[in-house]
């Protein structure tokens, strides 16, 4: 809410799940199971990606940490995902 100056009328437009299409690139999604941001958002994104056939990896880590708080837990998987989907696809396109 801090990003929107408490204006709830802008939340839907800013939510990326509404922009998912079959042209959306592969995604790596990570979230703590019990952090202050509800898991419903990341699960909605996973559903939207599934609905249009976009590959994704989902990593739900234990605990209440947010973002950088669980970076050490997901770092290797994130790098592997980027190597596979960014570097490989970039090289294959040449």
């Amino acid at each position: 809410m801090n990003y929107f100056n408490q204006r709830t009328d802008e939340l839907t437009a800013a939510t990326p799940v509404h922009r998912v299409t079959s042209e959306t690139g592969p995604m790596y999604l990570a979230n703590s199971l019990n952090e202050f941001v509800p898991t419903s958002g990341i699960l909605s994104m996973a559903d939207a990606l599934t609905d249009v056939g976009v590959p994704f990896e989902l990593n739900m880590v234990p605990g209440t940490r947010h973002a950088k708080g669980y970076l050490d837990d997901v770092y290797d998987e994130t790098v592997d995902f980027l190597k596979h989907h960014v570097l490989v696809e970039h090289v294959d396109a040449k």
Side-chain angles (χ1 to χ4, degrees):
M1 291 303 297
N2 291 338
Y3 296 119
F4 298 96
N5 199 23
Q6 306 304 313
R7 291 188 53 188
T8 59
D9 62 312
E10 296 180 347
L11 294 177
T12 299
T15 304
V17 71
H18 304 295
R19 291 179 166 68
V20 172
T21 71
S22 61
E23 299 299 312
T24 299
M27 289 194 182
Y28 180 82
L29 309 171
N31 210 90
S32 286
L33 287 166
N34 296 302
E35 70 171 279
F36 67 90
V37 175
T39 56
S40 58
I42 201 163
L43 297 174
S44 292
M45 179 61 89
D47 285 342
L49 294 166
T50 299
D51 289 346
V52 296
V54 172
F56 65 92
E57 292 182 28
L58 175 60
N59 190 346
M60 302 297 283
V61 298
T64 60
R65 297 164 293 162
H66 177 68
K68 289 193 275 185
Y70 55 77
L71 179 59
D72 289 343
D73 293 345
V74 301
Y75 184 82
D76 290 340
E77 291 89 352
T78 303
V79 171
D80 289 344
F81 178 87
L82 292 171
K83 284 179 181 177
H84 178 76
H85 290 284
V86 176
L87 296 178
V88 171
E89 289 179 10
H90 179 72
V91 170
D92 287 346
K94 287 185 177 182

